[in-house]
Amino acid sequence: QVQLQESGPGLVKPSETLSLTCTVSGGSINSYYWSWIRQPPGKGLEWIGYTYSSGSTNFHPSLKSRVTISTDTSKNQFSLKLYSVTTADTAVYYCARIRRESSGYRFDYWGQGTLVTVSS
Amino acid sequence: SSELTQDPAVSVALGQTVRITCQGDSLRSYYASWYQQKPGQAPVLVIYGSNNRPSGIPDRFSGSSSGSTSSLTITGAQAEDEADYYCNSRDNSANDVVFGGGTKLTVL
């Protein structure tokens, strides 16, 4: 059973960089796509971006200029960096595995989520 | 990018059938996937593809699609089905992901 676990600071100052890591266990990170999704308090889900194990990436158009996602296959991890954060970036951040098929996309495994608050 | 539209809230009497819908142009080309999210928990995939349930999802959950609308149906809703439900799909013009705004299901 694939399991995902987010880790990283729960508090980030405005204008600084939000950094999170997702550790995958119970399966290899290789040959799959991996994604970050966030959920502001009391609001809906927002896709941030995804990466393939080889390193190719795709990001939400509104976040593309501020985000990077990278993989470390040796540690079975992938990471998120969101630059120049504001209070609007306060959210629960989830990592998930995304299955990209010609018929559509689905997120089949999710981490438990981690709350990141942007505040001075 | 594409958008997916969901009704903000739906209610159903215990044991009755409820349909939750998701509307968007991308659904003419791609299937929606559906997620159940209970308070304080991560979303759980309940339906994907034409009408596929991951292991462990009760068979009272089913999916269907017609034109630009996809539907999640719960036949014989249980108290534990009270949750937020989200749809997602592939964007129509790019390899992006789109989510619906979510539907809060209340079981009366």
Side-chain angles (χ1 to χ4, degrees):
Chain A
Q1 178 81 342
V2 175
Q3 293 184 311
L4 295 86
Q5 178 68 58
E6 305 89 351
S7 59
L11 180 65
V12 181
K13 289 182 168 56
S15 80
E16 296 190 346
T17 298
L18 181 158
S19 296
L20 295 174
T21 295
C22 183
T23 301
V24 179
S25 59
S28 174
I29 197 173
N30 290 317
S31 304
Y32 286 99
Y33 286 86
W34 304 92
S35 187
W36 289 95
I37 299 136
R38 69 181 182 179
Q39 186 171 34
K43 296 188 177 180
L45 300 170
E46 180 182 35
W47 170 68
I48 298 171
Y50 60 73
T51 184
Y52 189 59
S53 51
S54 65
S56 64
T57 54
N58 191 30
F59 304 114
H60 192 291
S62 70
L63 297 171
K64 189 174 298 187
S65 63
R66 298 196 292 130
V67 65
T68 62
I69 298 177
S70 58
T71 59
D72 186 336
T73 55
S74 67
K75 294 182 179 179
N76 230 34
Q77 295 176 334
F78 62 104
S79 298
L80 169 72
K81 288 189 184 297
L82 183 63
Y83 304 96
S84 305
V85 298
T86 70
T87 55
D89 295 311
T90 293
V92 174
Y93 285 76
Y94 295 100
C95 59
R97 190 175 79 173
I98 178 172
R99 304 302 297 273
R100 294 178 68 232
E101 299 174 344
S102 58
S103 58
Y105 294 170
R106 68 183 185 271
F107 298 94
D108 58 355
Y109 290 102
W110 295 68
Q112 65 184 30
T114 187
L115 174 63
V116 180
T117 301
V118 179
S119 175
S120 55
Chain B
S1 61
S2 305
E3 293 185 352
L4 297 177
T5 302
Q6 297 182 241
D7 291 328
V10 171
S11 62
V12 61
L14 184 68
Q16 296 303 299
T17 296
V18 62
R19 176 173 293 183
I20 300 169
T21 61
C22 175
Q23 190 168 23
D25 286 342
S26 64
L27 300 181
R28 296 184 182 277
S29 306
Y30 304 107
Y31 288 115
S33 296
W34 289 92
Y35 306 85
Q36 176 191 70
Q37 186 181 35
K38 296 181 180 180
Q41 298 183 18
V44 174
L45 178 67
V46 294
I47 289 289
Y48 67 95
S50 57
N51 182 19
N52 300 299
R53 284 177 288 106
S55 174
I57 302 302
D59 60 6
R60 62 179 180 271
F61 290 88
S62 63
S64 61
S65 180
S66 177
S68 63
T69 301
S70 290
S71 301
L72 171 70
T73 300
I74 307 174
T75 303
Q78 302 300 302
E80 60 263 33
D81 299 334
E82 187 164 287
D84 294 327
Y85 290 85
Y86 293 91
C87 61
N88 93 271
S89 178
R90 174 178 175 174
D91 184 89
N92 218 18
S93 58
N95 294 325
D96 295 345
V97 175
V98 288
F99 277 102
T103 297
K104 182 177 182 59
L105 176 66
T106 300
V107 180
L108 303 172

